[in-house]
Amino acid sequence: MIDRLYLRAAGVSVLLDLRDADARVAHWGADLGEQAPDPAFFAGGTGASSFDAPVTASLIPQPARGWRGTPGIEGNRSGRSFSPRLVLQDARTESADPAGSQRAVLVFTDDASGLRVDVALTLGADGLLLVDQSVTNTGTGTYGLDVLDATLPVPAQAGESLDLTGHWSREKHQQRRRIDQGTWVRSGRHGRTGHDSTLIIAAGTPGFGWRDGEVWALHLGWSGDHTSRVERAGDGQTVLAVGELLHSGEVALAEGETYVAPTVYASYSRDGLDGMSARFHSWVRARDGHPSTPRPVVLNTWEAVYFNHDLGVLSELADAAADLGVERFVLDDGWFLGRRDDTTGLGDWFVDPDVWPNGLTPLVEHVRGKGMQFGLWVEPEMISEDSRVAREHPDWISRPDGRHGRMSLPWRHQQVIDLVNPDAWAYVFERLDALLSEYPIGFLKWDQNRDQLELGHDGRASTHEQTLAVYRLLDELRAAHPGVEIESCSSGGGRVDLGILGRTDRVWASDTNDALERQSIQRGTGLVLPPELIGSHVGPGTSHTTRRTHDLSFRAITSLFAHFGMEWDVRTLGEGERDQLREVIAFYKANRDLIHSGRAVHVDRPGTEDAAYGTVAHDRSRALLAYVVLATSPNETPARLRIPGLDPDRHYRVAPGLPVDPHAVAFGAVPVWLKDAIASGEAAVVSGRVLAEAGLPLPALHPEHAMVLELVAV
Ligand code: GLA
């Protein structure tokens, strides 16, 4: 058999060493050139007291191959066959699609353990590497699978790790550590992706930033339980690994049965985090079904009226929204049977005649009559103990000990409906299908508002099956109603991953609309998701989650670099606020093509308390940046802004994109170019080289204020 496979695209090389009927990743990182290097060249020596032959982590690390770290596959047949030794049977490359992806396809077997493992490594034209793995029970009797992770090596110079964490209203915060010997594990055991889910596990050269340093990162496209780790073994080998976290006894493969692991996405960059994100963003954007229409301006009713549904009030809200330029009006929680607060009704997906005596039609027609699309909130995976459906079908509640066993702890007064039960699944499908058929609904805000720690179906752990049942529900509804867009909300950003995004069109990044909190939440979410998939709404002046008060300009600019909307009783705006909001909405509409298609850039601003980020058009003819002051500056005057990504040989007109909020500017500290631009509307004209190398002088802004910079090539 061949001794190597070599994939190469967009500055990335992957070299597989196939000697010894094994597969080892000899290199995943920067391009090594056209010729596939000889894998034998990479073989190291052995330790003084060690195996007789050198050991390098296999693609699926196994003790049988000498790996002393965490194995990539684990399982057993009633305690036997506990240590598989996978033998490579077949390896080939194929061209995966016309866009230029290449794929390495590998087949391993272990006759003694009765296993077949299939692995496909697909390197996209954008350099993103996808790892798909499955294991099949080819032996006699049941094989209990405990682990099937994807593991990739990173070189020793990757000395610092990055992962994300958080909680409700504070998602996607970054944490860094030095990589020492040992294992740093981030597991998600929420039955959903989780507010603290890490989104990526990354390792990089120490101090890697937005624009500098080498970075290797993995993301797991899965919405159930999961594990991510960075591990440095005693011999110094360092790996990143991610996989589904399986519960005890959850995957029992019958003879001939296959477990398919969720897809793993691996991004390498030599240009810091922006380079890493760019590969994710371009892969996501090239997917079938990526939203291709302009992302409509949203008004969501939640923070405007909460559960107080009233046709008159909501019609007025729709009028005020339409007047501002809103394009999608979303009726949030509170419309279905008995749902006057969060203690009842989930599962009873019938319009409540007490609140909506004529159904939703009068509101839907009013909204559509104003030229807006109508959207509706649902939470299909849940069931209130106090609901008609729970009273009629108590066995539809997912329980750890069988259909009539004890229930899990309630959370927001709700339980999970067992979608692995075909009758429960069919009921939920029928209800949603009926609603989508009866009303011209263009958008569903699909919520999921609780952790699910011990999901069970007929007495067995069912997180895996429940996750697949949710996917199937989404897939079949989309097939039946292809025009409907769906948002993944999970008490805010509790379900943000490329698994759910395979069947949804955006995420609700957080339940907090506090613009300061949103700055870090959106920065973290944007590491994998491009801005058009990140829902961000302008809330009331004082945030309902933090009681912080922010000027409208800061709130609006924060939502601008995302999928823009509002969640606010816009009937109550003052005239000034209304004009300002109208202006921002018009600006969003004029620039969303750029924000939602360009290359995301972030500026490293060491030693400052500010941030600058935005979008540069792929042809580098335009750019939009937000300059945001997060806290009081340690320096009297801000450091100049070195703007990345521009064409050094072109000149750009530089001007504020939106009028600078006079409240934002501290004590008249305005640089000359900006003073001129404000006074006369005359933009400065500066070369991309000067902007990148010397930088743009910035005004001193008060903390928690922002401005937008617009750059247009002349
Ligand atoms: C969750 C969502 C909110 C809102 C409420 C409604 O908390 O994240 O945006 O829809 O549910 O109950």
Side-chain angles (χ1 to χ4, degrees):
M1 209 185 334
I2 47 170
D3 69 351
R4 72 196 82 169
L5 284 180
Y6 189 51
L7 307 175
R8 201 172 158 245
V12 177
S13 290
V14 179
L15 175 66
L16 292 176
D17 174 356
L18 304 181
R19 296 168 308 144
D20 312 322
D22 194 5
R24 304 179 192 89
V25 179
H27 174 81
W28 163 46
D31 184 22
L32 298 181
E34 215 161 297
Q35 279 296 322
D38 180 356
F41 170 75
F42 293 94
T46 59
S49 171
S50 187
F51 295 105
D52 296 340
V55 170
T56 308
S58 303
L59 180 57
I60 300 178
Q62 306 143 56
R65 297 280 188 181
W67 178 246
R68 290 169 285 175
T70 310
I73 182 167
E74 288 186 279
N76 66 86
R77 290 175 195 280
S78 307
R80 309 185 79 85
S81 303
F82 67 94
S83 183
R85 182 175 186 278
L86 300 176
V87 177
L88 188 65
Q89 301 296 344
D90 189 24
R92 64 200 145 78
T93 46
E94 53 189 44
S95 152
D97 60 47
S101 299
Q102 308 149 44
R103 179 170 297 154
V105 181
L106 307 163
V107 181
F108 304 86
T109 58
D110 175 353
D111 291 340
S113 299
L115 297 176
R116 172 187 163 124
V117 174
D118 288 83
V119 182
L121 299 176
T122 310
L123 186 66
D126 37 43
L128 193 71
L129 179 68
L130 274 57
V131 184
D132 287 288
Q133 306 189 123
S134 66
V135 56
T136 303
N137 177 9
T138 55
T140 309
T142 301
Y143 181 80
L145 180 72
D146 298 325
V147 170
L148 182 62
D149 290 342
T151 308
L152 286 171
V154 295
Q157 67 264 29
E160 184 172 320
S161 71
L162 168 73
D163 56 84
L164 309 181
T165 188
H167 54 72
W168 177 75
S169 259
R170 195 184 192 274
E171 297 87 341
K172 311 289 179 295
H173 276 251
Q174 302 181 21
Q175 49 185 21
R176 289 180 180 238
R177 311 171 73 238
R178 196 176 77 181
I179 299 177
D180 290 316
Q181 287 191 0
T183 310
W184 173 244
V185 187
R186 294 296 320 285
S187 25
R189 298 174 185 272
H190 304 272
R192 54 176 165 175
T193 321
H195 288 93
D196 66 350
S197 105
T198 183
L199 195 68
I200 54 161
I201 184 95
T205 45
F208 64 90
W210 287 109
R211 309 291 304 175
D212 296 308
E214 275 188 290
V215 186
W216 294 257
L218 304 188
H219 165 81
L220 182 71
W222 182 242
S223 315
D225 290 346
H226 51 88
T227 181
S228 308
R229 65 182 176 274
V230 51
E231 179 163 350
R232 178 159 289 173
D235 63 8
Q237 291 189 68
T238 308
V239 297
L240 297 173
V242 296
E244 181 178 5
L245 205 157
L246 299 171
H247 290 247
S248 194
E250 184 168 22
V251 175
L253 295 176
E255 289 176 19
E257 213 180 335
T258 299
Y259 163 83
V260 179
T263 300
V264 173
Y265 302 81
S267 181
Y268 162 75
S269 161
R270 60 185 317 152
D271 304 312
L273 290 168
D274 275 356
M276 178 210 74
S277 299
R279 296 199 200 279
F280 280 114
H281 293 181
S282 67
W283 184 87
V284 166
R285 283 173 168 165
R287 297 168 308 159
D288 284 347
H290 188 71
S292 55
T293 52
R295 302 294 72 213
V297 177
V298 175
L299 183 119
N300 180 292
T301 61
W302 181 239
E303 289 193 26
V305 301
Y306 296 98
F307 288 105
N308 304 319
H309 285 197
D310 174 274
L311 177 59
V313 169
L314 287 162
S315 302
E316 282 172 27
L317 193 59
D319 293 342
D323 176 57
L324 286 167
V326 168
E327 298 161 311
R328 171 183 285 168
F329 182 91
V330 183
L331 181 66
D332 210 282
D333 196 357
W335 56 268
F336 46 96
L337 280 189
R339 185 70 167 179
R340 298 295 75 77
D341 57 33
D342 65 5
T343 61
T344 61
L346 294 170
D348 293 344
W349 304 113
F350 298 88
V351 178
D352 192 334
D354 288 347
V355 189
W356 297 98
N358 299 309
L360 296 177
T361 300
L363 181 65
V364 175
E365 283 183 352
H366 189 84
V367 164
R368 286 164 54 86
K370 292 274 169 187
M372 295 182 290
Q373 187 189 67
F374 183 79
L376 191 65
W377 181 96
V378 288
E379 194 179 357
E381 299 149 66
M382 295 297 152
I383 180 164
S384 301
E385 287 176 45
D386 185 0
S387 65
R388 198 163 84 183
V389 64
R391 279 185 287 278
E392 286 174 8
H393 302 282
D395 61 317
W396 285 2
I397 294 176
S398 175
R399 301 163 193 252
D401 299 329
R403 291 196 181 199
H404 302 285
R406 73 173 165 85
M407 282 189 274
S408 286
L409 292 172
W411 173 305
R412 208 187 187 209
H413 316 282
Q414 63 199 60
Q415 294 286 345
V416 180
I417 193 161
D418 176 13
L419 293 172
V420 185
N421 177 331
D423 296 334
W425 189 97
Y427 165 78
V428 177
F429 178 85
E430 185 280 326
R431 281 291 79 226
L432 294 172
D433 181 52
L435 283 163
L436 293 173
S437 303
E438 180 174 356
Y439 297 108
I441 293 169
F443 175 80
L444 285 180
K445 175 178 176 182
W446 184 296
D447 214 338
Q448 193 288 21
N449 278 317
R450 66 159 293 168
D451 275 3
Q452 320 179 125
L453 306 192
E454 41 174 12
L455 286 176
H457 171 73
D458 283 346
R460 295 185 73 97
S462 64
T463 307
H464 176 76
E465 288 298 326
Q466 176 85 4
T467 308
L468 293 178
V470 173
Y471 285 176
R472 212 164 52 242
L473 193 57
L474 284 156
D475 290 344
E476 295 198 15
L477 280 166
R478 283 167 75 90
H481 304 275
V484 178
E485 290 195 10
I486 302 179
E487 170 172 62
S488 170
C489 174
S490 186
S491 325
R495 189 153 63 186
V496 177
D497 63 80
L498 292 181
I500 201 74
L501 277 162
R503 53 270 300 170
T504 53
D505 302 283
R506 70 171 217 167
V507 300
W508 182 228
S510 180
D511 271 356
T512 189
N513 293 323
D514 175 323
L516 185 63
E517 299 294 330
R518 276 281 180 159
Q519 285 291 329
S520 42
I521 292 168
Q522 291 170 199
R523 191 157 50 238
T525 310
L527 287 170
V528 170
L529 270 55
E532 62 272 25
L533 297 185
I534 304 174
S536 182
H537 295 171
V538 177
T542 299
S543 157
H544 80 159
T545 52
T546 61
R547 304 305 299 166
R548 267 197 206 108
T549 300
H550 288 127
D551 285 342
L552 178 54
S553 62
F554 181 46
R555 280 139 58 213
I557 291 169
T558 300
S559 292
L560 196 58
F561 290 83
H563 179 180
F564 183 91
M566 280 153 287
E567 194 151 332
W568 187 11
D569 187 353
V570 291
R571 296 175 309 160
T572 61
L573 304 185
E575 234 4 87
E577 279 180 324
R578 195 178 306 280
D579 290 345
Q580 206 182 339
L581 207 44
R582 254 198 218 109
E583 192 165 20
V584 172
I585 290 171
F587 185 78
Y588 167 76
K589 288 180 179 173
N591 288 285
R592 59 187 158 190
D593 63 328
L594 169 61
I595 297 168
H596 296 163
S597 71
R599 197 177 163 107
V601 294
H602 296 79
V603 186
D604 290 300
R605 304 272 297 159
T608 73
E609 293 290 347
D610 60 34
Y613 58 86
T615 313
V616 179
H618 285 284
D619 67 3
R620 297 188 287 179
S621 63
R622 290 160 70 199
L624 274 186
L625 294 176
Y627 165 54
V628 183
V629 176
L630 303 163
T632 52
S633 170
N635 307 309
E636 232 166 42
T637 49
R640 286 199 298 235
L641 179 65
R642 297 173 71 177
I643 302 179
L646 303 175
D647 183 341
D649 298 323
R650 280 158 96 175
H651 279 69
Y652 293 84
R653 295 167 57 84
V654 187
L658 284 164
V660 180
D661 179 356
H663 299 297
V665 181
F667 315 117
V670 178
V672 173
W673 74 267
L674 184 57
K675 229 177 245 167
D676 290 351
I678 293 171
S680 64
E682 255 322 284
V685 178
V686 192
S687 77
R689 191 180 308 279
V690 168
L691 290 167
E693 304 300 341
L696 180 75
L698 290 169
L701 300 186
H702 287 301
E704 300 171 34
H705 284 83
M707 67 176 286
V708 177
L709 294 162
E710 186 169 20
L711 295 100
V712 182
V714 291

